[in-house]
Amino acid sequence: MTRRACVAGDLRIAGLSKLSTVDWPDRLAATLFLQGCPWDCFYCHNPALIAPRAAGALPWSEVDAFLARRTGLLDAVVFSGGEPTMQAALLPALLATRERGFAVGLHSGGAYPANLSRVLPYVDWIGLDIKAEAVDYAAVTGRPGSAANAWRSLELVLGAVAARASSERPLRYEVRTTVHAIAFDEAGLARLGHRLADAGVTRWAVQRFRETGARSPLPRVAPRSGVVELSGLPRERFDSFTIR
């Protein structure tokens, strides 16, 4: 029996932010939050989106109708999560969005490098989360093997950035790291910064953990107070360095 090809209508959408100025820096965007993530980051600020088999709350037809009304008023649509590349319907949804004339942004943790490689040609900007040094990745995500996938995804993104650099549609990007005192000390975060720069990253955003939306108590970790000092980070090695 031939398996039916996924269509945009199969996308499990947990929510829609109709206007955002932060999900894609310097763009007016609508943001779709897709259901499902294979990881369980202890500091996740959207834990309701982790369940990989949960149904969506919003049909694609409603999103498409909304986008039809916002043509010329929004710059872009950002697909966020959860982990968007978990869903096979992401690709047809990206194509449908592009057909409406919107630029496409993507938030990803890099959990599925093969899936990411299939959608990158249709993405204009990506915010890729690199959560830790490889040795500490599983402690953050709760999943063994997550480091290899994330760092492979970084290679794919940087390769696509280089390949499209002189094209009419270059791939813009940002690597992002959430900072929590359980995941990092100052020296460890600085090492990660150097590792990213060595890999070819030129745009790094460091995001302080915020309790809003996170579980309490945080799963799998013992409580720890303190603030990670950010003054010693190798910001001079990046063309763009941002603290949020």
Side-chain angles (χ1 to χ4, degrees):
M1 181 181 294
T2 303
R3 186 175 181 180
R4 182 181 69 85
C6 283
V7 297
D10 295 327
L11 201 66
R12 289 177 294 116
I13 305 165
L16 166 66
S17 173
K18 295 183 177 181
L19 179 63
S20 171
T21 60
V22 297
D23 289 316
W24 181 342
D26 302 320
R27 292 288 187 109
L28 294 177
T31 304
L32 292 177
F33 297 93
L34 306 191
Q35 182 67 44
C37 183
W39 295 346
D40 184 20
C41 298
F42 71 82
Y43 53 58
C44 180
H45 70 279
N46 237 336
L49 301 188
I50 293 175
R53 295 179 179 83
L58 184 68
W60 174 258
S61 58
E62 289 188 21
V63 173
D64 190 51
F66 165 75
L67 294 179
R69 298 191 300 270
R70 303 306 289 173
T71 301
L73 301 175
L74 290 173
D75 300 320
V77 178
V78 175
F79 291 79
S80 188
E83 173 50 57
T85 62
M86 190 175 196
Q87 296 197 43
L90 175 63
L91 180 55
L94 297 186
L95 295 174
T97 301
R98 298 194 65 81
E99 288 175 1
R100 288 253 178 232
F102 296 100
V104 169
L106 178 67
H107 293 171
S108 178
Y112 298 100
N115 294 351
L116 179 63
S117 69
R118 284 191 282 270
V119 302
L120 270 181
Y122 310 102
V123 171
D124 299 290
W125 176 87
I126 180 169
L128 181 69
D129 294 332
I130 295 294
K131 301 176 182 295
E133 295 183 274
V135 68
D136 297 320
Y137 234 89
V140 174
T141 65
R143 301 290 186 266
S146 53
N149 287 349
W151 286 90
R152 173 57 182 153
S153 291
L154 177 61
E155 292 176 1
L156 292 171
V157 168
L158 295 178
V161 168
R164 289 165 53 179
S166 58
S167 73
E168 294 182 356
R169 196 170 61 84
L171 176 61
R172 309 299 185 187
Y173 79 101
E174 175 181 86
V175 171
R176 308 168 319 169
T177 301
T178 297
V179 179
H180 191 289
I182 293 174
F184 290 106
D185 58 18
E186 181 180 1
L189 187 59
R191 284 194 305 271
L192 177 62
H194 284 294
R195 173 71 180 84
L196 292 172
D198 290 344
V201 173
T202 60
R203 306 182 67 84
W204 188 29
V206 173
Q207 307 174 149
R208 287 196 180 277
F209 165 76
R210 291 175 174 82
E211 294 182 352
T212 304
R215 290 163 285 189
S216 180
L218 298 177
R220 304 192 316 277
V221 296
R224 182 184 303 174
S225 59
V227 176
V228 179
E229 178 58 52
L230 305 181
S231 61
L233 300 183
R235 60 187 69 204
E236 72 283 352
R237 298 197 64 188
F238 300 93
D239 294 340
S240 172
F241 176 81
T242 304
I243 295 176
R244 298 190 181 120

